[in-house]
Amino acid sequence: IMRPPRILVVDDEPGMLRAVERVLSGEHEVAVTRLSREALALADEFRPELAIVDIRMPDLDGFGVVSALGEPESMPAIVFVTAYNEYAVKAFDVNAVDYILKPIEKSRLEKAVQRGMKQLESETGMRSQLKNLISLMAPAAQKKSKLLLKDKNRNLLIDSEEIVFASVSDSVVHLSTAE
């Protein structure tokens, strides 16, 4: 059984927090906070897949919250909410999946959450494909190939990486190594 997606909501307006929690809590695990600094600790503990973050807050703005959330690989999908449209370009510069103007309509909020979940599924799929590819390539990358060469009456074992030049003349292969 899959657990419901976790969503962190950060907004300094209590009415907004209650409304978003009411809309999302049926199908999602929702954690809410009015304090942006508390959101950072909550994010560490709660590990949300999506964060809905107000931009203008008294202690640390939404961009500060997002930049403090950590590395891009472990960052939740971000949806910014605000009453001000002048932050839209900056929001998408930090890779937000959506930007919602207040007051928020239920259908608009649900659409933003769906968009965030789709992005996470896509990123998770790509990440697992990349891990599989790396694991397939790793054994080949770790093996050093060696060549067994005959030089008059001696057999020599040479790392292929040491060969800097090779040529063929009269059915004889000539190799030059770094040494």
Side-chain angles (χ1 to χ4, degrees):
I1 298 172
M2 282 184 44
R3 69 168 176 75
R6 294 181 180 152
I7 299 176
L8 173 64
V9 184
V10 187
D11 198 308
D12 60 325
E13 298 175 31
M16 165 67 184
L17 284 177
R18 281 192 301 276
V20 171
E21 187 175 25
R22 199 174 321 115
V23 169
L24 299 177
S25 61
E27 297 179 32
H28 306 87
E29 276 185 57
V30 181
V32 298
T33 181
R34 292 178 58 197
L35 304 171
S36 50
R37 296 206 186 274
E38 183 180 285
L40 301 176
L42 194 54
D44 272 349
E45 184 182 318
F46 187 60
R47 299 250 182 249
E49 284 85 17
L50 179 72
I52 298 173
V53 184
D54 186 14
I55 292 180
R56 283 180 121 175
M57 292 183 287
D59 54 344
L60 181 66
D61 73 6
F63 296 110
V65 170
V66 169
S67 68
L69 281 176
E71 296 301 309
E73 303 84 44
S74 60
M75 174 108 38
I78 304 296
V79 173
F80 282 113
V81 293
T82 186
Y84 308 94
N85 64 5
E86 67 260 24
Y87 298 108
V89 172
K90 187 174 179 186
F92 290 108
D93 281 347
V94 296
N95 296 319
V97 293
D98 214 334
Y99 184 90
I100 305 174
L101 288 174
K102 294 179 183 179
I104 298 174
E105 296 174 14
K106 179 183 176 193
S107 63
R108 183 68 181 90
L109 177 62
E110 289 169 340
K111 183 178 178 183
V113 169
Q114 286 175 346
R115 184 175 287 153
M117 292 300 135
K118 263 188 189 165
Q119 178 179 318
L120 288 170
E121 288 169 14
S122 167
E123 287 176 1
T124 302
M126 284 192 306
R127 238 183 247 126
S128 70
Q129 286 177 346
L130 186 58
K131 282 181 184 176
N132 287 341
L133 185 59
I134 289 170
S135 69
L136 291 172
M137 292 173 57
Q142 291 173 355
K143 291 181 186 174
K144 285 190 175 183
S145 57
K146 298 202 180 257
L147 296 174
L148 180 60
L149 305 174
K150 190 169 187 157
D151 178 31
K152 297 182 181 145
N153 295 335
R154 298 184 309 166
N155 289 328
L156 301 170
L157 198 57
I158 307 245
D159 280 332
S160 61
E161 293 174 353
E162 292 180 23
I163 298 171
V164 292
F165 180 77
S167 65
V168 178
S169 66
D170 297 328
S171 301
V172 177
V173 177
H174 298 276
L175 297 176
S176 298
T177 60
E179 293 180 15

